[in-house]
Amino acid sequence: VKRVETHIEIITAKKRLISLNKAIDELLTPKDGTKPNIADEEEALRYLLIKISLLDKAGQKLRPSINKIIALIEESVGSNDPNRIKHNLSAADIEARLILEIVDDVFDIK
C-alpha cells in the first residue's frame, strides 16, 4: 500500500512540475512571437514564484478548514440532536467564511 501511495505522490508531483513548466513557458513567451526580454523573463518568473508560494500557503491553510467542514457535516448527518446540528452548521459557516477570506487574499494579487 505504501509503495502505491509513493508512486501516486510521484506522479502527482510530476504532473504539477509539468504544469508549472508550461505556465512559466507561457509567461515568458511574448504574444507577438518576438524574442523575450531578459528583464521581462526575470519579472515574470519572480511573479510566478510569488504566486506559487502564496497558492501553496493557501492550500496549507485551506486543508484543515475543509477537513473540519467535512467532519461537521458527517457528524450532523449522523445526529438526531437539532442543537448539535445547529452548532455544527454554525461552525461550518465560520470555517467556510475563513476559506473565502483566504481565497480572496490569494487571488487578489495586484
Side-chain angles (χ1 to χ4, degrees), residues 56-69:
D56 185 51
K57 288 177 185 175
Q60 292 173 13
K61 289 182 179 181
L62 293 174
R63 185 170 298 283
S65 288
I66 292 170
N67 286 334
K68 187 170 183 180
I69 290 170

Side-chain angles (χ1 to χ4, degrees), residues 13-66:
K14 186 176 179 180
K15 286 180 181 179
R16 183 169 184 227
L17 182 59
I18 290 168
S19 175
L20 290 174
N21 284 334
K22 184 179 177 184
I24 290 170
D25 288 343
E26 288 174 3
L27 277 174
L28 299 180
T29 303
K31 302 292 182 214
D32 61 5
T34 61
K35 188 174 180 181
N37 181 328
I38 298 291
D40 292 341
E41 287 182 19
E42 289 174 359
E43 184 63 29
L45 186 56
R46 191 175 309 115
Y47 174 79
L48 182 62
L49 291 174
I50 290 169
K51 192 164 187 173
I52 290 169
S53 174
L54 287 172
L55 289 171
D56 185 51
K57 288 177 185 175
Q60 292 173 13
K61 289 182 179 181
L62 293 174
R63 185 170 298 283
S65 288
I66 292 170

Side-chain angles (χ1 to χ4, degrees), residues 70-81 84-85 88-89:
I70 291 169
L72 290 165
I73 291 170
E74 288 175 348
E75 183 181 332
S76 294
V77 167
S79 176
N80 291 328
D81 180 3
R84 189 80 207 147
I85 294 170
N88 288 350
L89 287 173

